Amino acid sequence: ANSLRAYKRLNITPTYITIQNEPRLDIYYPSCKFTPSETASYAGYDSALDAVYQKLSTMEESPKILAPDSVNTIHAQDYLDAIWNLTQIYGYAHHLYGLGAGDTQADKFDNPDSFIRAMRTFRNFYGDKPIFQTEFCRLYDSDGLREAINTAMHIHNSLVEEDVAAYMVWGLFWPKYIGQDGLGLVLIDDPWNIPEPGYTIKDTYYELKHYSKYIQPGYSRINISEPNVSGLRASAFKSPDADTVSSTICLQRI
């Protein structure tokens, strides 16, 4: 609540928040782990969410809460089932790490259709509220156009198979010099060791733009007659006034 008040003084008013990124993650850097309910070792996500909700409800304006912002759809269910009152949250949020077929995260990322079963399952159980895919990327070993095409496939499948309201790629900008080029759409040069540092726009940036430039806030996805034809996958979106339709097409594979 104090953070939101501080942001508001800077004219920053978030529309959505989550109380903790990937609450189940036990990582090597400073982080904050919650279990679905309180244990002898960890605080409970259910109690923390209720406490935040009660505090924000005293504010004149408060953002909408998304939960649980978990590492994937499987972990999300554990946290959602523990929440005392689902009316406290506006929508469900999750990432896509660890889903799909393959031994490594890169292998899994390169098999977008192997995520569809988990997507449909989550949609069927939790389709009563807007679903937000709040973070996903290949993580390591960026591989150019193939990564871009697979990103488009993940966006398409999330929109069409899971019916998500939003899809977020992690991240927009990332340091090129720390060896994790799979994390960024725009890679920043090392400002300490390059006299005139610049940036590199990756192919994946343009695939995301393919979906984000013409699908505007308030648009709703509509059915089309032949969404999967000759290796192409198509989706369409209608403006709130039904005056404009935007269509997107991505390659099935390369």
Side-chain angles (χ1 to χ4, degrees):
N2 289 339
S3 296
L4 291 171
R5 293 188 184 99
Y7 279 122
K8 187 175 182 179
R9 289 193 291 270
L10 299 173
N11 296 318
I12 299 172
T13 55
T15 303
Y16 308 101
I17 63 166
T18 65
I19 69 168
Q20 175 61 41
N21 174 64
E22 297 182 339
R24 184 170 176 167
L25 192 64
D26 193 355
I27 199 69
Y28 61 89
Y29 50 75
S31 55
C32 181
K33 179 176 178 177
F34 288 101
T35 47
S37 297
E38 187 174 345
T39 69
S41 301
Y42 294 101
Y45 186 91
D46 53 352
S47 300
L49 177 65
D50 181 69
V52 172
Y53 175 83
Q54 298 301 335
K55 187 67 175 180
L56 295 188
S57 66
T58 65
M59 299 174 62
E60 183 177 346
E61 294 180 77
S62 60
K64 299 172 182 177
I65 299 177
L66 305 178
D69 211 20
S70 55
V71 71
N72 58 38
T73 61
I74 298 171
H75 292 173
Q77 183 170 346
D78 296 336
Y79 286 85
L80 292 175
D81 289 348
I83 293 175
W84 302 342
N85 184 358
L86 288 175
T87 64
Q88 294 180 342
I89 62 175
Y90 172 80
Y92 307 121
H94 66 74
H95 306 164
L96 293 174
Y97 300 111
L99 299 177
D103 295 328
T104 67
Q105 175 57 40
D107 293 336
K108 295 175 186 296
F109 182 91
D110 292 337
N111 286 279
D113 282 356
S114 64
F115 291 60
I116 290 177
R117 181 177 179 180
M119 291 177 174
R120 289 175 176 172
T121 298
F122 193 82
R123 178 201 65 199
N124 291 339
F125 275 101
Y126 301 103
D128 60 314
K129 293 178 182 288
I131 301 172
F132 291 67
Q133 194 296 107
T134 48
E135 178 191 316
F136 192 51
C137 69
R138 199 172 188 269
L139 288 182
Y140 301 101
D141 303 321
S142 177
D143 62 353
L145 183 58
R146 187 169 71 132
E147 178 187 354
I149 294 298
N150 284 328
T151 296
M153 285 286 294
H154 284 296
I155 296 173
H156 173 89
N157 289 342
S158 293
L159 291 168
V160 174
E161 302 294 346
E162 193 178 356
D163 202 22
V164 301
Y167 185 102
M168 302 179 192
V169 175
W170 186 48
L172 176 56
F173 298 102
W174 202 262
K176 182 178 181 180
Y177 50 90
I178 63 174
Q180 294 176 297
D181 59 346
L183 289 172
L185 303 178
V186 180
L187 301 180
I188 307 298
D189 290 337
D190 186 346
W192 290 277
N193 295 314
I194 297 179
E196 297 183 5
Y199 59 89
T200 302
I201 299 177
K202 292 172 51 183
D203 293 334
T204 310
Y205 171 90
Y206 295 103
E207 288 293 349
L208 179 63
K209 183 178 179 181
H210 177 69
Y211 281 90
S212 61
K213 184 174 182 179
Y214 298 107
I215 304 174
Q216 299 299 313
Y219 277 41
S220 300
R221 189 174 63 84
I222 58 178
N223 289 327
I224 57 178
S225 58
E226 297 292 340
N228 302 323
V229 178
S230 301
L232 301 177
R233 301 207 178 172
S235 54
F237 304 83
K238 180 178 66 175
S239 63
D241 59 7
D243 187 53
T244 302
V245 171
S246 175
S247 62
T248 59
I249 299 175
C250 70
L251 292 173
Q252 190 166 338
R253 63 179 61 86
I254 60 172

